[in-house]
Amino acid sequence: MTDYPQRMTDSYNERKRLIRLRRKKENLRFWQEFGIIPRWLITLVIVLFLLAQGIALLVNLSAPERGDQIFPPELKYDPVLASLALAGIITAVSLILAAFIFLIAYVNRDARRRGMHVALWTLLALLLSWPFPFLGVIIYFLMREPMPYPCPQCGNTVGARFNFCPNCKCNLHPSCPQCKHELAETDKFCPYCGNDLKAAGNVEPAVQNSL
């Protein structure tokens, strides 16, 4: 029992190492990831932005008729520059708000495809981001699960935490018997120590701890 805490620590470190390795295998591209955000939400944000710009412009230019000052007051004698300055301010604020909305939507869709609790993570991303901007989204990116991927042998979708395919028993994450580093299925030599992996039985199964 004296070595139990050490074994638990080693198991936890191994799980974290495997998760990091499996995240690195995800070939994520910005525009592909942006594409999972609902189109209706993108359209809604653009429409709201245009409405905000139009309403602000009308209100600002009609300010002298109501006895108010044009914003910003420093440009009250130049309505064109004042309108451009106001449009720039609205655009800057809108970009920040749009980024926040899109990130929350991304968390919602990304959590679903990774098999995580959608409502919980969406709510956490919202609540934790109000006192500290984007904090909830940052925590999600640090904690999210690796994505499922097709088995290299049978093509069946497997969880990123699986060590073996439940359909064909393919070893998804073999390890080098010499240095114990995780290997890719197509490696002929260990990229860490140069060990020859072509010899029969020269690749050990991946760690079978439940991740």
Side-chain angles (χ1 to χ4, degrees):
M1 295 295 294
T2 57
D3 64 338
Y4 180 74
Q6 182 62 41
R7 286 189 287 110
M8 289 295 294
T9 301
D10 292 343
S11 176
Y12 174 78
N13 290 336
E14 179 64 18
R15 288 198 297 269
K16 297 300 291 184
R17 186 183 72 85
L18 290 176
I19 288 174
R20 286 195 297 270
L21 286 170
R22 292 166 193 181
R23 281 177 181 166
K24 288 180 181 179
K25 294 180 179 180
E26 298 176 7
N27 186 23
L28 303 180
R29 301 181 184 277
F30 175 80
W31 288 115
Q32 290 178 346
E33 294 302 291
F34 188 79
I36 72 173
I37 298 174
R39 295 292 179 86
W40 65 264
L41 181 61
I42 298 174
T43 303
L44 178 62
V45 168
I46 294 174
V47 170
L48 290 176
F49 167 72
L50 295 176
L51 283 175
Q53 290 282 19
I55 293 172
L57 179 63
L58 290 175
V59 171
N60 204 35
L61 292 179
S62 63
E65 300 176 3
R66 303 191 310 271
D68 297 330
Q69 283 188 334
I70 289 179
F71 181 85
E74 296 81 4
L75 300 174
K76 60 183 178 180
Y77 298 113
D78 194 337
V80 176
L81 284 179
S83 299
L84 290 175
L86 181 60
I89 294 172
I90 293 175
T91 299
V93 174
S94 298
L95 286 175
I96 296 174
L97 291 176
F100 179 74
I101 293 171
F102 290 156
L103 283 172
I104 296 299
Y106 178 84
V107 168
N108 180 273
R109 291 298 180 91
D110 189 57
R112 180 177 288 108
R113 67 177 179 172
R114 292 174 185 270
M116 301 170 66
H117 198 295
V118 178
L120 175 63
W121 278 106
T122 304
L123 187 62
L124 285 175
L126 276 170
L127 295 179
L128 295 178
S129 293
W130 286 117
F132 306 101
F134 301 102
L135 176 62
V137 177
I138 293 172
I139 292 176
Y140 170 77
F141 280 120
L142 293 175
M143 301 295 294
R144 66 179 179 175
E145 299 285 338
M147 282 200 304
Y149 62 97
C151 170
Q153 182 167 298
C154 68
N156 187 56
T157 300
V158 293
R161 290 175 174 263
F162 292 0
N163 289 318
F164 294 90
C165 174
N167 186 55
C168 66
K169 205 178 178 181
C170 172
N171 187 357
L172 301 173
H173 301 283
S175 60
C176 173
Q178 182 164 297
C179 67
K180 306 304 180 183
H181 278 92
E182 188 172 351
L183 305 168
E185 294 82 0
T186 56
D187 288 340
K188 296 180 180 179
F189 296 90
C190 176
Y192 301 98
C193 66
N195 185 35
D196 186 0
L197 304 173
K198 291 183 292 185
N202 204 28
V203 177
E204 292 183 348
V207 178
Q208 299 186 40
N209 292 334
S210 176
L211 298 180

